[in-house]
C-alpha cells in the first residue's frame, strides 16, 4: 500500500487500478478495508477504526484517494468538494489526435443505474459537468492529455471525452477499441485542497498530493 500523506486528521493513498475504493460486500477487499487494517496495525487500535471516504475512484482508475480520520475533518473536506475549492487533476490517454488541443467541455449528465453507466442529456434532465483538458503530447496515434475537473460526477471524464470522439484507452464501457492492460488509461494525478485544521496561527494550509503514474503506463508515455 502506497501512503502519500498521513497525519492525525488525514490519510491519502495511491489506489491501484482494479481495486474498488469501497462499497463491496463484507469480507471483500477494498482500498477502504486496506486503509483501516493499516491504521489498526500501525497504531495498535482495537475494534473498528473510523475512516471517512472523502474522494473515490472508479475500479479501473488509479491515483490519489483521500480519507478523513475524524468526522470533523470529513465534514470540512466534503464541504470543499461541494463548493469546488479542491483542485482535481487527472492524466489520460485518449484514442486519436484530440482536436482542439486545449478546450473546456461542458454538458449535463444523467445516470443509467440499470446499466451502471452515465450519459449526456439536456439541461433539465441532468447535473452540470465541466472539465478543462490540454494536450501534453502525442503518443503514436493517441493523445496524452491533462484534465482538470470543475465538477466531480460519476464517470464524468470518461463520458465527456468519449462523447467528443476521444474515448480513453481500454474504456470499452465508453467506446474504446484499444486495450490498455487490465485497466483504463485514466489516473488521478494530483489533488490540491485546504487542510481541514488550520495551523497554530490560524492560517489556512494548502496540501498538494501527487500520485506517480503506474508502471503499466511506461510503455505508452
Amino acid at each position: 500500500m502506497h501512503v502519500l500523506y498521513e497525519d492525525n486528521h488525514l490519510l491519502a493513498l495511491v489506489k491501484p487500478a482494479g481495486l474498488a475504493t469501497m462499497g463491496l460486500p463484507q469480507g471483500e477487499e477494498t482500498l477502504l478495508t486496506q486503509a483501516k487494517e493499516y491504521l489498526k496495525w500501525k497504531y495498535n487500535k482495537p475494534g473498528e477504526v473510523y475512516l471517512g471516504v472523502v474522494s473515490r475512484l472508479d475500479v479501473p482508475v488509479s491515483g490519489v484517494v483521500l480519507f478523513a480520520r475524524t468526522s470533523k475533518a470529513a465534514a470540512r473536506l466534503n464541504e470543499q468538494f461541494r463548493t469546488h475549492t479542491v483542485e482535481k487533476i487527472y492524466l489520460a490517454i485518449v484514442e486519436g489526435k484530440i482536436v482542439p488541443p486545449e478546450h473546456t467541455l461542458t454538458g449535463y449528465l444523467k445516470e443509467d443505474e440499470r446499466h451502471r453507466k452515465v450519459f449526456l442529456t439536456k439541461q433539465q434532465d441532468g447535473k452540470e459537468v465541466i472539465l478543462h483538458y490540454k494536450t501534453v503530447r502525442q503518443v503514436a496515434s493517441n493523445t496524452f492529455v491533462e484534465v482538470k475537473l470543475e465538477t466531480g460526477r460519476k464517470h464524468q471524464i470518461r463520458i465527456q471525452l468519449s462523447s467528443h470522439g476521444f474515448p480513453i484507452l481500454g474504456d470499452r464501457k465508453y467506446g474504446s477499441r484499444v486495450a490498455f492492460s487490465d485497466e483504463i488509461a485514466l489516473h488521478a494525478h494530483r489533488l490540491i485542497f485546504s487542510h481541514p485544521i488550520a495551523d497554530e496561527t490560524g492560517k489556512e494550509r494548502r496540501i498538494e498530493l501527487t500520485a506517480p503514474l503506474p508502471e503499466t503506463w511506461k510503455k505508452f508515455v
Side-chain angles (χ1 to χ4, degrees):
M1 188 171 64
H2 185 165
V3 178
L4 276 180
Y5 183 92
E6 181 181 352
D7 63 20
N8 291 333
H9 310 280
L10 305 174
L11 177 65
L13 304 176
V14 178
K15 186 186 89 64
L19 180 68
T21 304
M22 58 177 293
L24 294 186
Q26 188 172 3
E28 294 191 37
E29 189 173 54
T30 64
L31 190 68
L32 177 60
T33 62
Q34 288 184 358
K36 286 185 175 183
E37 286 301 315
Y38 163 76
L39 292 174
K40 288 176 72 172
W41 165 78
K42 184 171 182 179
Y43 299 103
N44 196 25
K45 287 180 173 286
E48 185 65 19
V49 172
Y50 174 83
L51 206 55
V53 180
V54 179
S55 66
R56 65 191 71 184
L57 297 174
D58 298 337
V59 171
V61 179
S62 58
V64 183
V65 172
L66 182 62
F67 297 99
R69 295 186 58 194
T70 68
S71 56
K72 178 187 286 188
R76 291 179 176 178
L77 288 166
N78 283 328
E79 180 64 11
Q80 290 184 50
F81 278 92
R82 189 187 69 80
T83 55
H84 310 305
T85 58
V86 177
E87 291 186 49
K88 297 166 284 187
I89 295 129
Y90 287 70
L91 297 175
I93 307 172
V94 301
E95 293 183 22
K97 183 177 181 179
I98 198 165
V99 178
E102 186 171 345
H103 196 48
T104 295
L105 302 182
T106 61
Y108 294 87
L109 182 150
K110 190 173 182 179
E111 284 193 45
D112 178 353
E113 295 182 3
R114 179 181 176 187
H115 297 98
R116 298 183 179 181
K117 294 178 67 173
V118 299
F119 59 94
L120 296 177
T121 185
K122 296 179 180 179
Q123 180 174 350
Q124 60 266 32
D125 293 329
K127 297 177 180 178
E128 187 176 26
V129 286
I130 305 171
L131 66 76
H132 314 278
Y133 75 79
K134 63 180 180 181
T135 297
V136 177
R137 61 179 173 272
Q138 292 301 127
V139 183
S141 59
N142 305 309
T143 310
F144 186 30
V145 296
E146 179 184 279
V147 177
K148 185 175 180 180
L149 284 179
E150 280 198 29
T151 53
R153 310 296 185 192
K154 177 181 178 180
H155 296 189
Q156 176 186 338
I157 299 173
R158 299 166 66 178
I159 185 61
Q160 282 194 281
L161 291 175
S162 176
S163 69
H164 283 77
F166 307 103
I168 294 169
L169 265 60
D171 195 1
R172 298 191 182 280
K173 185 183 286 278
Y174 292 104
S176 175
R177 297 161 296 174
V178 181
F180 187 81
S181 186
D182 294 325
E183 57 200 274
I184 67 174
L186 181 61
H187 178 73
H189 183 55
R190 197 153 63 247
L191 192 67
I192 305 169
F193 59 94
S194 294
H195 195 285
I197 308 300
D199 67 16
E200 57 274 9
T201 67
K203 186 178 179 181
E204 180 185 273
R205 293 181 285 163
R206 290 293 280 179
I207 305 292
E208 181 171 336
L209 305 176
T210 302
L213 282 172
E215 286 294 320
T216 49
W217 284 57
K218 297 291 175 67
K219 64 181 180 181
F220 290 92
V221 299

